[in-house]
Amino acid sequence: MKKKSNKPKSITENGEREAPFRLLLAVLLSALAAGLGYAVLSLPSPPPGLSSHVAANLETSGVSNPVTAVLLNFRGYDTLLELGVLLLALLGVWSLGVAPEHHEPPPGPVLDMLTRLLAPLLILVAGYLLWVGAHAPGGAFQAGSVLAAAGVLLLLTGWRPGAGFSGLPLRITLAAGLGVFVVVGVVLMLLGGRLLEYPPSFAGALILLIEAAATLSIGTTLAALFLGGRPEAGPRR
Amino acid sequence: MNLLQSAFDSLLGFALLWLAWRALASPDLFRAIVLFVAFGLLMALAWVRLDAPDIALAEVAIGAGLTGALLLGALARLKPEGVTKPTHEEKEQ
Amino acid sequence: MIPAVLYALVGMGLFALGLFALIVHTHLLRKILAINVMASGVFLVLVALAARTRGAVPDPVPHAMVITGIVVAVSATALALALMLRVSAETGRAELPEEPLE
């Protein structure tokens, strides 16, 4: 595929490659899709699954929403590592530079009013989703993303965290989810269990504790990702 | 009733594929992103049809909302090509 | 269980479509969109296969994996966009060169 169109490309153009190449690619990918489709259609009919295992152990998990039980209890280490991935992505973004100055004009009356109305409501909804996640659809990820939506809305209207918050307090908030998760896991190991093996009597409270910290961290991390760079801490220059 | 559901599923499936195709083939990047956000909202409908309300909640907030905001923010910073200087004079704080 | 298989096939289609666009387009923002479409396709296949389980509730394990995956996808997208902006700031364009760098 060495052929090259010589015209300069602007970002509104497609920048596509030659037709024979695209045809060959389309044929190959159709074959791939057909093969994958055949694999799905030929799966065994009574599907093996883990739902019976989850249902059998749901009483000991501390919550009654099976998805939350899987996320925070049965496969808790997945979620633990996932929070690590979030933190790593933020570190990657921060290492690329400081957040750009925002040049947006001050928000119009509609956005301003909407944000004033929506931001408290979104925070309330996040708290509700966090609480209800134990027995209904909801949980730390949904609550965290709603919290991040409130943060993004505030950032869009020109609000920036003050210099007092963007230093150590911000970093503690970002690391809280992973930190609480690891501390709970290690303390449970020291008490004689295995990593993230909650005693059934405390499981509900521990899950809520971890979820609360994770919600704060996820919300702050996603909003900080939207900011697109590390904030300048403290007095500048 | 069952026929209606099947029709809805088929329609949703076609709409998903069509929106994805339009989003990826649209010549205008802004329109591509807006179509992708619409695609995310239809994905949330698909999650509800597949009995996964937890994922639908996460998809609405993240897939449609946050990803769209991230993409549009990046596009806005991309628009003045080569104009953005990282060492912009900082305002007083 | 027709709807589940239907959605799984749609997921395959989205995956192939995204892969096609990922290879064909040179603009980095389009590549990021394509990766997101591919991810949606994979999630759709996973959840559709979970919905094949007989009984009232579908298998919650793939659901939890997909929720985790959505959050990882958005953070990866944010990192990719930051890298794209950096490439654009360094080279003045947000596209990959079509010829190998010499």
Side-chain angles (χ1 to χ4, degrees), chain A residues 11-12 65 138 142 145 226 232, chain B residues 27 29 54 62 69 77 81 90:
Chain A
I11 60 173
T12 54
N65 178 9
Q142 290 85 350
S145 45
F226 177 73
E232 292 268 22
Chain B
L29 274 176
D54 294 83
I62 294 180
R77 277 179 220 162
E81 282 206 304
E90 286 167 340

Side-chain angles (χ1 to χ4, degrees), chain B residues 11-24:
Chain B
L11 193 63
L12 186 56
F14 275 116
L16 280 171
L17 285 169
W18 185 76
L19 268 179
W21 174 248
R22 292 311 308 155
L24 293 175

Side-chain angles (χ1 to χ4, degrees), chain A residues 3-19:
Chain A
K3 287 175 196 150
K4 182 186 176 189
S5 56
N6 280 321
K7 56 178 178 162
K9 295 199 172 84
S10 70
I11 60 173
T12 54
E13 281 179 17
N14 264 339
E16 287 167 351
R17 301 208 171 153
E18 305 298 320

